[in-house]
């Protein structure tokens, strides 16, 4: 088959993403591009590769039949075999799996197209900002390639200044959610591979020299000193800027250095510290002659001392629960608005939680802003999950980039106290090298929060009822966290009382998962798997067993709500759902919910 190929304009590889400006951009509202988008499902990537499997958007292979051209035929001889205007529509933000029945299991490419009118302001910059696209995005504006982003759960943006049209614009995104051995996550996960532009899209306009990054954090409870930095997009030296916190009657007049950056420090006796009991947030305003940004920031410290976690120098027990970014009630999928995020955190509050583990990937930014407001501490995690391709440098760079993006996005969120590097990864030399390198990277960005990873426990040699944690990664992280499923995988809850634990690190111990599956409404004997009584019994026995661990600083049982997974196919019980939720996919609480709720209400 020959496709008429001719150059329809040089496809410029435009300036693509640079994580550094994320939090200076993400906190601006911009023009929303949410709503109806047109889509073309393209399982053979016909709109991206020609019949010789060469990419159309490489400079030498431009052609009309590439879907990103979104253009009609130029002459009678042209063969155009697609038409966005006559194609299906889909909602953005949202996954395609639960919006379009034929795409329930689909893993591959879907082309998205949004037409929008714009009127760029004079002497301003314009960016197109994506809160997340799962998994790989190739982005084009008006037929020109802006760039590519890999990673399904972190924000990215493109500078479209002088590219965006006054009047009508056509934004085309090739979204590909295929799982890859070298991906992050890799081929195998226990969650649904929801594809799509799953979070919001905006056009953000800024002054030419804008506030691109900022951070404020409390140095220590004793000093009540707040340290911070502000970075402008331009490296002009001597630019005047003001940081003000009206409620503290603080106003600092500052000047940038020759990198366009300024560090500052101030002391304030009146500061109210952020905590779950008092989630105090201050309005912070940053202004320059051309720009202004505001944010609501809480000030607190988090650190460990021996086997204790200290929040504002006080020992704290993390009364947690794990949460996937999914709201399955009425057949829905990925959380795609603040109301669903709020419902999940409200259920966590009803459970008397002061902590949530956002598994297994960065959740949407609304979740973290709500956690700040609601006084819920947070564990954030990158999807370095199970058997990642440890020796692949591109895989490492991908993981590192995703970690940078979430850390820069959430650096001013008081609720975030733990950065997690991984989940249930095998103990071997390549994995520990990979994660140690990632840990160093994390500490270089932010050494004010705790570092952890969900590790695993093992049987002690020759003593099957003595459980140990022996993992070189435990030497690297601040918290010894691990998942354990005594009473579910390979045993029943009555085993819990026979277990002894030997955890020899002088660090706090956190159980990042335990649980059992049950079908809401199925009742029977407590030793009958899949009944609510079995799950309830497992919670009772596990909480009792964990109480004996020296240095236990909390736990986050698996999981708040039943969630979809292609690995969970037991008819009439699972039906594509992992049933370890304390709440069903219909939003109904199970008996174990009340066991945990009672324990947390009575736990100091
Ligand atoms: C693992 C894993 C989870 C998974 C859970 C389960 O620990 O971390 O992602 O869903 O166990 O088996 O249900």
């Amino acid at each position: 088959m020959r496709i008429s190929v001719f150059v329809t304009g040089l496809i410029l590889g435009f300036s693509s993403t640079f994580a550094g400006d994320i939090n200076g951009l993400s906190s601006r509202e911009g023009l929303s591009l949410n709503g109806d988008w047109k889509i073309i499902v393209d399982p053979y990537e016909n709109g991206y590769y020609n019949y010789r499997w060469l990419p159309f958007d490489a400079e030498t292979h431009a052609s009309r039949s590439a879907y990103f051209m979104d253009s009609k035929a130029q002459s009678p001889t042209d063969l155009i075999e697609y038409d966005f205007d006559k194609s299906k529509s889909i909602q953005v933000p949202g996954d395609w799996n639960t919006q379009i029945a034929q795409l329930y299991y689909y893993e591959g490419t879907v082309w998205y197209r949004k037409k929008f009118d714009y009127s760029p302001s004079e002497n301003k910059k314009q960016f197109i900002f994506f809160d997340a696209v799962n998994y790989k995005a190739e982005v084009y504006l008006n037929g020109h390639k802006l760039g590519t982003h890999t990673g399904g759960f972190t924000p990215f943006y493109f500078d479209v200044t002088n590219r965006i049209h006054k009047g009508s614009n056509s934004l085309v995104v090739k979204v590909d959610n295929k799982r890859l051995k070298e991906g992050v996550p890799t081929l195998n996960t226990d969650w649904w591979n929801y594809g799509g532009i799953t979070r919001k899209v905006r056009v953000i306009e800024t002054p030419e020299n804008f506030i691109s990054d900022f951070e404020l954090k409390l140095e220590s409870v004793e000093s009540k000193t707040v340290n911070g930095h502000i970075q402008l997009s331009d490296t002009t030296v001597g630019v005047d800027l003001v940081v003000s916190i009206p409620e503290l009657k603080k106003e600092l007049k500052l000047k940038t250095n020759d990198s366009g950056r300024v560090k500052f420090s101030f002391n304030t006796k009146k500061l109210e510290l952020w905590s779950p009991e008092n989630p105090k947030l201050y309005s912070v305003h940053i202004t320059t002659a051309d720009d202004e940004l505001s944010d609501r920031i809480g000030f607190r410290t988090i650190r460990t001392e021996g086997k204790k976690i200290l929040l504002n120098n006080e020992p704290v027990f993390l009364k947690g629960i794990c949460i996937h970014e999914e709201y399955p009630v009425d057949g829905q999928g990925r959380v795609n608005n603040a109301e669903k995020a709020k419902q999940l955190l409200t259920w966590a509050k009803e459970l008397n939680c002061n902590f949530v583990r956002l598994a297994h990937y960065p959740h949407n930014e609304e979740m973290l802003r709500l956690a700040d407001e609601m006084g819920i501490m947070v564990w954030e995690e990158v999807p370095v999950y199970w058997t990642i391709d440890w020796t692949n440098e591109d895989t490492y760079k991908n993981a590192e980039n995703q970690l940078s993006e979430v850390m820069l996005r959430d650096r001013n969120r008081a609720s975030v106290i733990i950065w997690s590097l991984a989940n249930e990864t095998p103990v071997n030399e390549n994995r520990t090298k990979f994660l140690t390198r990632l840990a160093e990277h994390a500490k270089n960005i932010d050494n004010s929060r705790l570092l952890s990873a969900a590790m695993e426990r093992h049987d002690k040699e020759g003593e099957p009822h003595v459980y140990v944690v022996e993992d070189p990664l435990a030497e690297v992280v601040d918290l010894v966290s691990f998942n354990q499923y005594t009473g579910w995988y390979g045993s029943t809850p009555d085993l819990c009382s026979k277990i002894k634990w030997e955890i020899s690190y002088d660090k706090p111990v956190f159980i990042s998962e335990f649980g059992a599956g049950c079908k809401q409404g199925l009742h029977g004997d407590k030793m009958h798997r899949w009944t609510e009584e079995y799950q309830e019994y497992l919670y009772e026995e596990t909480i009792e067993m964990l109480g004996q661990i020296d240095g236990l600083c909390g736990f986050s049982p698996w999981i708040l709500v039943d969630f979809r997974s292609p690995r969970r196919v037991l008819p009439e019980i699972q039906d594509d759902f992992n049933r370890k939720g304390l709440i069903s996919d219909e939003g109904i609480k199970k008996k174990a919910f009340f066991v945990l709720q009672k324990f947390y209400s009575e736990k100091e």
Side-chain angles (χ1 to χ4, degrees):
M1 172 182 73
R2 297 288 303 158
I3 295 176
S4 61
V5 175
F6 63 93
V7 176
T8 55
L10 196 57
I11 308 291
L12 292 174
F14 217 60
S15 66
S16 65
T17 61
F18 169 63
D21 299 346
I22 276 180
N23 96 342
L25 289 171
S26 181
S27 37
R28 300 170 195 259
E29 192 177 338
L31 168 73
S32 170
L33 297 184
N34 294 347
D36 268 339
W37 288 51
K38 288 293 187 178
I39 59 165
I40 296 172
V41 182
D42 185 10
Y44 290 8
E45 300 182 78
N46 185 50
Y48 188 78
Y49 295 103
N50 69 14
Y51 79 123
R52 292 289 186 238
W53 206 250
L54 293 170
F56 288 116
D57 70 5
E59 286 185 16
T60 52
H61 295 288
S63 151
R64 248 185 342 289
S65 54
Y67 296 175
F68 56 81
M69 294 311 290
D70 181 23
S71 61
K72 297 294 178 224
Q74 308 292 326
S75 75
T77 57
D78 284 343
L79 173 62
I80 297 287
E81 296 175 275
Y82 68 95
D83 184 332
F84 271 116
D85 293 331
K86 294 177 182 157
S87 299
K88 278 186 190 304
S89 289
I90 199 168
Q91 283 302 304
V92 166
D95 61 83
W96 63 59
N97 313 74
T98 58
Q99 287 193 70
I100 299 176
Q102 301 95 319
L103 301 181
Y104 178 63
Y105 287 108
Y106 182 67
E107 293 184 306
T109 287
V110 174
W111 293 83
Y112 284 67
R113 194 278 320 264
K114 180 74 174 179
K115 286 213 157 185
F116 64 96
D117 289 333
Y118 198 73
S119 179
S121 309
E122 289 292 308
N123 307 319
K124 295 272 187 170
K125 296 178 76 71
Q126 288 82 30
F127 298 87
I128 293 188
F129 195 99
F130 295 82
D131 277 37
V133 174
N134 188 45
Y135 169 75
K136 182 176 181 181
E138 314 261 355
V139 184
Y140 307 83
L141 182 63
N142 304 321
H144 295 273
K145 181 149 201 182
L146 300 181
T148 298
H149 181 268
T150 297
F153 307 97
T154 48
F156 59 97
Y157 57 89
F158 299 98
D159 184 340
V160 293
T161 314
N162 306 321
R163 174 72 65 204
I164 196 164
H165 290 165
K166 181 174 178 49
S168 175
N169 290 273
S170 168
L171 176 64
V172 173
V173 184
K174 178 185 183 287
V175 179
D176 184 350
N177 76 329
K178 271 195 302 296
R179 287 165 295 114
L180 303 166
K181 176 180 179 303
E182 69 276 13
V184 179
T186 182
L187 288 167
N188 191 18
T189 68
D190 190 21
W191 70 80
W192 206 265
N193 179 24
Y194 289 110
I197 301 180
T198 49
R199 296 182 193 157
K200 61 180 188 277
V201 185
R202 294 168 272 175
V203 181
I204 290 173
E205 197 162 82
T206 70
E208 283 178 343
N209 187 13
F210 64 95
I211 301 157
S212 64
D213 180 45
F214 61 98
E215 181 180 43
L216 287 87
K217 56 189 176 188
L218 178 62
E219 177 187 78
S220 71
V221 173
E222 296 78 6
S223 71
K224 284 253 181 16
T225 297
V226 173
N227 297 326
H229 80 261
I230 296 164
Q231 177 68 55
L232 300 188
S233 57
D234 218 309
T235 56
T236 316
V237 66
V239 176
D240 292 321
L241 54 83
V242 177
V243 179
S244 67
I245 307 182
E247 195 177 340
L248 294 175
K249 295 185 175 36
K250 280 292 170 193
E251 184 174 277
L252 286 79
K253 295 187 185 347
L254 307 161
K255 276 185 189 303
T256 54
N257 65 14
D258 56 6
S259 311
R261 187 180 185 81
V262 59
K263 284 188 170 183
F264 59 89
S265 219
F266 63 86
N267 186 285
T268 163
K269 294 293 173 236
K270 289 192 327 186
L271 193 68
E272 264 186 70
L273 301 184
W274 183 93
S275 69
E277 297 71 27
N278 178 28
K280 175 69 180 168
L281 299 176
Y282 288 91
S283 292
V284 177
H285 307 288
I286 304 169
T287 49
T288 69
D290 311 321
D291 198 9
E292 61 176 357
L293 262 190
S294 295
D295 200 349
R296 286 169 49 73
I297 296 178
F299 297 99
R300 53 109 190 95
T301 61
I302 191 80
R303 61 190 177 89
T304 62
E305 196 171 81
K307 290 178 177 288
K308 290 189 173 13
I309 293 184
L310 302 179
L311 174 70
N312 302 326
N313 288 353
E314 296 296 325
V316 65
F317 187 87
L318 304 181
K319 306 177 186 177
I321 190 73
C322 288
I323 299 180
H324 257 302
E325 191 189 29
E326 180 168 329
Y327 183 76
V329 179
D330 299 335
Q332 301 178 79
R334 275 275 171 261
V335 169
N336 63 349
N337 62 41
E339 293 70 34
K340 294 176 188 175
K342 181 145 192 166
Q343 178 58 71
L344 293 176
L345 291 178
T346 301
W347 277 328
K349 287 291 260 191
E350 278 182 49
L351 206 45
N352 294 319
C353 292
N354 63 6
F355 178 83
V356 291
R357 175 185 176 209
L358 299 185
H360 284 291
Y361 38 74
H363 289 212
N364 59 82
E365 191 175 355
E366 286 87 353
M367 202 71 168
L368 285 307
R369 290 184 177 279
L370 284 166
D372 272 9
E373 303 277 352
M374 296 169 74
I376 299 173
M377 294 176 282
V378 174
W379 159 310
E380 284 209 273
E381 186 165 300
V382 285
V384 177
Y385 181 96
W386 289 355
T387 50
I388 291 284
D389 196 357
W390 305 112
T391 56
N392 184 321
E393 181 63 11
D394 290 343
T395 302
Y396 172 79
K397 284 296 179 198
N398 181 351
E400 186 180 90
N401 187 55
Q402 293 187 44
L403 184 60
S404 302
E405 290 173 339
V406 63
M407 291 180 79
L408 292 171
R409 183 193 73 179
D410 295 340
R411 67 187 335 170
N412 292 307
R413 302 282 71 79
S415 53
V416 180
I417 62 166
I418 296 169
W419 300 117
S420 169
L421 305 171
N423 180 73
E424 290 193 352
T425 53
V427 179
N428 65 48
E429 190 187 342
N430 289 326
R431 162 270 204 180
T432 304
K433 224 163 78 179
F434 184 108
L435 293 180
T436 302
R437 188 179 166 195
L438 197 60
E440 282 154 21
H441 177 76
K443 283 290 182 192
N444 287 337
I445 295 181
D446 174 16
N447 61 5
S448 70
R449 293 178 171 91
L450 306 181
L451 217 45
S452 195
M455 294 174 276
E456 294 181 296
R457 64 105 190 140
H458 307 282
D459 294 355
K460 186 173 181 180
E461 192 69 33
E463 298 185 63
H465 286 173
V466 178
Y467 290 171
V468 297
V469 175
E470 285 163 351
D471 186 333
L473 188 61
E475 303 294 347
V476 174
V477 293
D478 300 308
L479 218 50
V480 178
S481 307
F482 59 92
N483 301 342
Q484 69 84 38
Y485 280 91
T486 309
W488 180 252
Y489 289 117
S491 59
T492 49
D494 51 310
L495 174 63
C496 291
S497 58
K498 301 182 181 66
I499 299 301
K500 293 284 170 259
W501 291 86
E502 286 184 12
I503 301 170
S504 56
Y505 303 96
D506 184 25
K507 296 183 176 180
V509 176
F510 181 77
I511 315 301
S512 34
E513 288 181 33
F514 70 78
C518 88
K519 172 85 172 161
Q520 185 277 325
L522 180 65
H523 295 287
D525 179 80
K526 68 182 182 180
M527 289 294 277
H528 175 184
R529 273 181 191 274
W530 303 115
T531 61
E532 288 199 42
E533 285 70 23
Y534 187 105
Q535 187 188 49
E536 179 185 44
Y537 179 37
L538 178 122
Y539 268 71
E540 288 162 350
E541 292 299 297
T542 302
I543 290 170
E544 183 68 27
M545 169 184 71
L546 298 181
Q548 65 167 292
I549 295 178
D550 176 29
L552 180 73
C553 68
F555 41 68
S556 54
W558 190 260
I559 185 168
L560 182 67
V561 186
D562 291 352
F563 63 95
R564 283 191 188 80
S565 167
R567 303 176 77 242
R568 309 296 177 172
V569 295
L570 182 61
E572 298 168 15
I573 296 287
Q574 294 178 319
D575 298 318
D576 290 348
F577 277 90
N578 182 313
R579 293 290 183 198
K580 297 188 184 69
L582 293 176
I583 299 173
S584 76
D585 58 300
E586 285 309 315
I588 301 169
K589 297 181 179 74
K590 305 173 186 176
K591 291 177 81 172
F593 178 98
F594 303 99
V595 171
L596 190 64
Q597 182 189 54
K598 180 171 184 297
F599 173 75
Y600 282 164
S601 67
E602 293 164 357
K603 178 73 183 167
E604 282 309 304

